[in-house]
Amino acid sequence: MASFYKDNADLQWYVDHGIDWTPVAELAEAGFRHPDGFKSTEEAVQFYRDVFELVGTFSAEKIAPVAAEIDREGVHFDAGEVKLAAPAEKIMKEVAKLGLHGLTVPRSLGGMGCPLLVYMIASELLARGDVSLMSHIGFCGGMAAALMFYSIMEGSATVDGTTGDVTTCRFDKEIKEILAGKAWGSMDLTEPDAGSDLAALRTRAVLDAEGTWRVTGQKIFITSGHAKYHIVLARTEPVTSTDDPLAGLQGLSLFLVPAFSGTGARKTWHATFDRVEEKLGHHGSPTVAITFTDSPGQLIGQRGEGFKQMLLLMNNARLAVAFESLGLGEAAYRMARDYAAERMSMGKSIDRHELIAEYLDGMRTDLQAMRAVAITGAWHEELSRRYQLARDHAAGDDDVARARFDKLHKKHRDRARWLTPLAKYQGSEKAVEMARMALQIHGGVGYTKEYGAEKLLRDALVFPIYEGTSQIQALMAMKDTLGGILKNPQAFVRRTAQARWRSLSSRDPLERRVAKIQSQSLAAQQHLIQRTATDKIRGLAGVPVTKWADTFLKNWDPKKDFAFARLHAERLTRLLIEEATVRILWGQAKRDPSRRELLARYLDRAEPTARDLLERITNGSDRLLGELSAGDDEAAQG
Ligand SMILES: Cc1cc2nc3c(=O)[nH]c(=O)nc-3n(C[C@H](O)[C@H](O)[C@H](O)COP(=O)(O)OP(=O)(O)OC[C@H]3O[C@@H](n4cnc5c(N)ncnc54)[C@H](O)[C@@H]3O)c2cc1C
């Protein structure tokens, strides 16, 4: 039987050797104290392996064979109701029967109790079969897990500190419905005038006289937005002026809004599905515009904290895009590799021609690099969440344990925050590149529908757009990186000196090469900080000397002062990705010499890229900044 897990040696390496499952399994299994739970890490990991085998086989045997049919049929929109393609509906029933919607939901709530990392890896396997169907599957189990987490965070769930069981949960009913395959959820942020700029959201929620929240507004581009359960970001706080912080992200709150209640003839609608978008790809995944009109909703958490809470869902979704990208990338690489081995040109198969051989080698290497960053990011995210829960629930009255869990939570939170935009950017951009290469390797037939290469490209093109565009990921990575330096310049100087020292003196040539790329990344960061500070100092010209200290140290205007860094944000992000990738692969190579070959192969590609990026950041033209600034001044003068 075909299996997308069994045929993937790199993925199996992670499951068997690469991932440190010990803290993950221990935390997920509440220290193996549950009478009905696993008794050791080995037992738990064997279960995770069984899940990967099940999902890998399901994806290869059931999903991949109907992917083209799902793509052709698309979704149906009739009389305000949305339906998936017939083969997709059938698969969804089987997914529910296999219990996969409950993958990460605790066993006490009817799920399998697996870690988030298991869900992410399963997403890669499903996406290799068909990424659009994977998206819809994600909006079932993923939303059930999110609802449970929200309930825990706001304090409406009860967690047994000893067994880890969630004994009560505010969204118990919704979770049960989702697990049974009778409902799913969606994440409703985007509006016609608010996509990347969520501070511009207009959807509003008001409390009526009976104390019920009523949500009004239109959301567009909502994946699986024909859902029953919508997690909606809406404006709740009255504002006094346009520069009131409550007019921006701080005025947003999160709601659970059912689009309807009841079933069949007894269905009552609380919202309207306006349309289903006709898209370039992702034909198996409905993208819906929905209007809420005084729709009753339940506030999740505290008023004004909606954006913060939404980030939890969005960060996980961004990591999930990295795993989707991996699944699609694997499909593209394998399709291209197999075709190239068969297709003859000028006396030999095209995979023996240098140019095509290099494309294939690059695709294989990029996939392994993407997996390294995605899995490491998801591992930190997992431990960040688990230690947070341990701090709040398992620690009980033990202050020492609480402090230890808090420290670990923060350590992993910071690393997850560092890697998440990098994984999303790298995964989505590389998936597009790989899908395009797969099409090119197929030549003329690649441009036809015969082999499915064009479908992969159409599907991949949305990765750099949804869950925060590549540009938004780059801005986030830049802001966090430079902000980190400003907060702790001594640590930056120390890191720079250490990297330089290792690049010159390490006895291991691979470590020297890794440290050189780290040095180049740090040099780019230093240049951006210095240039930003120089521009700021230049701006002190008209400011009285007595105000220099305040203006320089306190009055930073993110809109003006970081223009140069924003210009280079994407280049910096690509350099940060090279740095993160080689550091992670170096860590693997130190633990397992069999990974040295991968690191060396990756470095061959990363070195010229890093050199080029540094050169472009430090010596590139900033002509455009002058033009933009002149334009802004003109606009300001009216
Ligand atoms: C298939 C699909 C599924 C989706 N699913 C969902 C979903 O489930 N839920 C949901 O809420 N939304 C969803 N979206 C919406 C998606 O998240 C948005 O399209 C995305 O955030 C971009 O917003 P926008 O389309 O308004 O583009 P804009 O924000 O208008 O951006 C246009 C371009 O400008 C760039 N840009 C914007 N601001 C800046 C800046 N400050 N600096 C530099 N560049 C900038 C962007 O990167 C982009 O290239 C989906 C979209 C698609 C296509």
Side-chain angles (χ1 to χ4, degrees), residues 60 116 131 175 193 251 259 309 349 392 440 457 497 509 528 595 623:
L116 177 77
V131 75
I175 292 171
D193 293 316
Q309 288 166 319
S349 58
D392 296 344
Q440 187 69 16
L457 182 57
L528 292 176
R595 302 293 278 186
R623 171 188 53 80

Side-chain angles (χ1 to χ4, degrees), residues 544-559:
V545 177
T546 48
K547 300 236 166 96
W548 278 14
D550 267 3
T551 307
F552 187 77
L553 295 173
K554 291 186 193 153
N555 298 342
W556 283 86
D557 177 351
K559 287 212 171 94

Side-chain angles (χ1 to χ4, degrees), residues 187-190 195-196 221-223 279 287 462 465-467 469 471 475:
M187 181 170 86
D188 301 18
L189 284 73
T190 306
S196 304
F221 296 157
I222 306 305
T223 302
K279 310 190 294 285
T287 307
V462 78
I465 296 175
Y466 64 15
E467 305 302 354
T469 64
Q471 291 69 39
L475 290 175

